[in-house]
């Protein structure tokens, strides 16, 4: 069946490849572990992996994502970013030659019990202050000693994760100090930087950088001063499907949250929270209609949103293109208006939205 509903997510392959090159430019001495968990941040994991095949490794959240990549023929190193969720996953980890994180004692116990014959790539995670995953600094040396008693010596990569790489410099530097003092003199590879630190903190680049959001051209560090070299990969588009004038004092949408202060031209766009457009987007959230910024008005519905097109009343027509985010309208800006982050919007595009792959013309 054809789907004539106009909402579509366009995925720009050139932008993906260009963003990977930007990661290399930011961290020229580091290997790149491209993070493609959560279905490639909503862009389609395999599609993204194909475009990023020049990366040195991939990072995923679960073993099924990793196995899917192996089945598609990817021979890259693939890291399970949260490690194993249960001991029985080890059979598949070994069969598919996966790298894995160990962040807690129970995972260490599973590994120590494992009777394996080939060397494993074990990423040992230190909790340098985020207090989510990772061994506490005081336990870390013991963990390393224990790993060194394995029959087959593992290849140990030491890693940690920043809590506020995009915001708090002081705390980020504390985490970096902690990481440096614990790993000083260790031979193995080290990894610390996510997208924000790749762009902000060269001292955190080490052997492996782990870019996620920047590969997708988002995660604006919102200094606004310099133009980001990153290009938006996803552009979410739809069309104008209804136009009408309403009088001053009349309201629009569920709950009548927006009232016209003057005679207003209201446009309906075919996109809603059923597509992943955030229901929390407030009146005033920017939308591009026929290339011009207009404000969202009223509540976001499941399949529709309403916009104030009074300023475009002379020219706008049914079927005109509307961009919800992407080229010309940063997803970070839309996310702010919905009290969230670009990550959530990109991951949240729902399965009913067709993906259109845009290759170089
Ligand atoms: C998701 C993730 C990243 C990528 O973070 P971005 O902010 O998207 O660059 C890096 N490292 C780990 C451990 C992650 O889980």
């Amino acid at each position: 069946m054809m789907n004539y509903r106009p909402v579509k997510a366009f995925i720009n392959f050139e932008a993906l490849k260009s963003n990977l090159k930007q990661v290399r430019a930011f961290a020229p001495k580091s290997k790149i572990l491209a993070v493609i968990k959560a279905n490639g941040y909503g862009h389609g994991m395999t599609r993204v992996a194909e475009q990023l095949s020049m990366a040195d490794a991939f990072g995923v959240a679960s073993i099924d994502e990793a196995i899917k990549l192996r089945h598609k023929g990817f021979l890259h190193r693939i890291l399970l970013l949260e490690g194993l969720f249960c001991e029985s996953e080890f059979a598949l980890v070994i069969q598919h030659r996966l790298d894995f994180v160990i962040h807690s004692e129970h995972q260490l116990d599973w590994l120590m019990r494992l009777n394996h014959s080939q060397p494993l790539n074990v990423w040992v995670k230190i909790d340098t202050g985020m207090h989510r995953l990772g061994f506490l600094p005081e336990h870390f040396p013991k963990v390393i000693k224990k790993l060194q008693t394995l029959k087959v010596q593992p290849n140990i990569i030491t890693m940690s994760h920043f809590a506020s790489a995009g915001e708090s410099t002081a705390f980020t530097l504390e985490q970096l100090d902690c990481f440096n003092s614990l790993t000083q003199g260790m031979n193995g590879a080290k990894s610390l930087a996510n997208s924000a630190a790749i762009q902000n903190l060269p001292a955190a680049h080490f052997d492996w950088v782990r870019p996620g959001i920047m590969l997708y051209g988002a995660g604006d560090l919102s200094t606004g001063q310099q133009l980001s070299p990153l290009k938006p990969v996803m552009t979410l588009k739809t069309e104008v499907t209804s136009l009408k004038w309403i009088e001053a004092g009349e309201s629009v949408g569920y709950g009548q949250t927006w009232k016209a202060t003057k005679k207003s031209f209201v446009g309906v766009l075919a996109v809603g929270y059923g597509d992943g457009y955030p229901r929390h987007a407030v009146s005033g959230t920017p939308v591009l209609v026929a290339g011009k910024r207009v404000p969202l008005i009223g509540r976001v519905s499941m399949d529709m949103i309403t916009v104030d097109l009074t300023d475009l009343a002379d020219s706008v027509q049914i079927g005109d293109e509307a961009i919800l985010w992407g080229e010309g309208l940063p997803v970070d800006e839309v996310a702010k208006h919905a009290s969230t982050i670009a990550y959530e919007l990109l991951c949240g595009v729902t399965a009913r939205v067709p993906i259109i792959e845009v290759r170089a013309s």
Side-chain angles (χ1 to χ4, degrees):
M1 277 293 276
M2 276 304 292
N3 177 3
Y4 290 103
R5 198 162 164 267
V7 59
K8 291 178 179 88
F10 291 78
I11 306 295
N12 183 333
F13 284 178
E14 286 312 302
L16 259 176
K17 286 192 249 193
S18 161
N19 293 340
L20 180 64
K21 285 192 188 136
Q22 288 303 327
V23 177
R24 287 240 187 262
F26 276 110
K29 296 191 184 120
S30 307
K31 287 187 191 159
I32 298 176
L33 180 129
V35 179
I36 57 174
K37 63 196 181 194
N39 197 27
Y41 286 45
H43 296 67
M45 182 186 67
T46 342
R47 169 183 301 120
V48 168
E50 275 161 13
Q51 299 312 309
L52 299 182
S53 64
M54 295 301 284
D56 302 290
F58 292 119
V60 296
S62 68
I63 201 157
D64 56 296
E65 292 173 327
I67 291 173
K68 189 170 163 195
L69 288 172
R70 285 284 181 256
H71 284 162
K72 293 280 178 186
F74 291 97
L75 302 172
H76 300 64
R77 281 172 71 174
I78 302 175
L79 173 62
L80 301 175
L81 289 162
E82 294 161 54
L84 286 73
F85 294 97
C86 65
E87 192 169 6
S88 58
E89 284 178 271
F90 258 122
L92 290 166
V93 164
I94 288 173
Q95 181 190 339
H96 294 284
R97 303 172 321 283
L98 304 178
D99 286 30
F100 56 93
V101 166
I102 60 167
H103 57 70
S104 300
E105 285 297 331
H106 67 280
Q107 290 179 326
L108 182 59
D109 293 342
W110 295 342
L111 177 56
M112 299 311 293
R113 283 205 283 267
L114 184 69
N115 206 349
H116 60 290
S117 50
Q118 76 261 57
L120 300 171
N121 292 322
V122 181
W123 297 58
V124 179
K125 189 162 192 171
I126 312 174
D127 179 1
T128 51
M130 179 154 177
H131 301 327
R132 192 177 58 182
L133 296 182
F135 294 97
L136 289 171
E138 55 269 35
H139 297 151
F140 173 68
K142 265 189 290 177
V143 174
I144 296 298
K145 280 214 185 78
K146 205 161 179 186
L147 285 172
Q148 284 163 343
T149 68
L150 279 168
K151 262 193 309 207
V152 186
Q153 280 300 301
N155 171 33
I156 296 174
I157 304 98
T158 316
M159 69 180 292
S160 187
H161 196 55
F162 286 125
S164 313
E167 300 117 46
S168 159
T169 340
F171 191 69
T172 301
L173 291 178
E174 273 177 44
Q175 287 193 268
L176 175 61
D177 278 353
C178 173
F179 187 77
N180 273 326
S181 63
L182 286 169
T183 59
Q184 221 168 30
M186 282 184 63
N187 293 327
K190 299 169 195 177
S191 174
L192 186 51
N194 65 344
S195 295
I198 289 167
Q199 294 167 83
N200 276 342
L201 193 61
H205 286 170
F206 297 105
D207 303 284
W208 285 92
V209 290
R210 307 191 306 265
I213 196 75
M214 71 183 289
L215 292 171
Y216 309 97
D220 174 27
L221 301 174
S222 74
T223 51
Q225 276 128 7
Q226 82 206 71
L227 217 57
S228 168
L230 303 171
K231 297 180 181 156
V233 174
M234 180 195 293
T235 299
L236 186 64
K237 291 188 192 177
T238 189
E239 290 175 8
V240 176
T241 61
S242 166
L243 292 166
K244 69 158 74 80
W245 285 100
I246 63 167
E247 296 300 324
E250 294 182 319
S251 60
V252 174
Y254 287 121
Q256 299 159 284
T257 59
W258 187 86
K259 278 199 173 58
T261 54
K262 56 176 203 272
K263 191 175 180 199
S264 299
F265 201 45
V266 176
V268 176
L269 310 180
V271 67
Y273 61 80
D275 305 297
Y277 190 85
R279 187 176 172 280
H280 289 103
V282 293
S283 287
T285 302
V287 177
L288 281 186
V289 174
K292 306 248 170 40
R293 274 178 181 245
V294 297
L296 177 81
I297 55 176
R299 285 211 183 125
V300 171
S301 303
M302 185 182 290
D303 309 315
M304 288 175 270
I305 60 173
T306 34
V307 288
D308 182 357
L309 298 178
T310 311
D311 290 347
L312 306 184
D314 290 342
S315 58
V316 69
Q317 293 184 349
I318 298 291
D320 276 358
E321 179 183 274
I323 292 181
L324 289 320
W325 63 66
E327 274 164 47
L329 181 58
V331 62
D332 294 273
E333 199 180 332
V334 177
K336 268 193 206 113
H337 283 86
S339 307
T340 184
I341 52 175
Y343 301 70
E344 188 182 20
L345 297 193
L346 295 174
C347 289
V349 173
T350 60
R352 80 172 180 187
V353 177
I355 301 270
I356 312 291
E357 298 178 341
V358 183
R359 289 153 210 276
S361 46

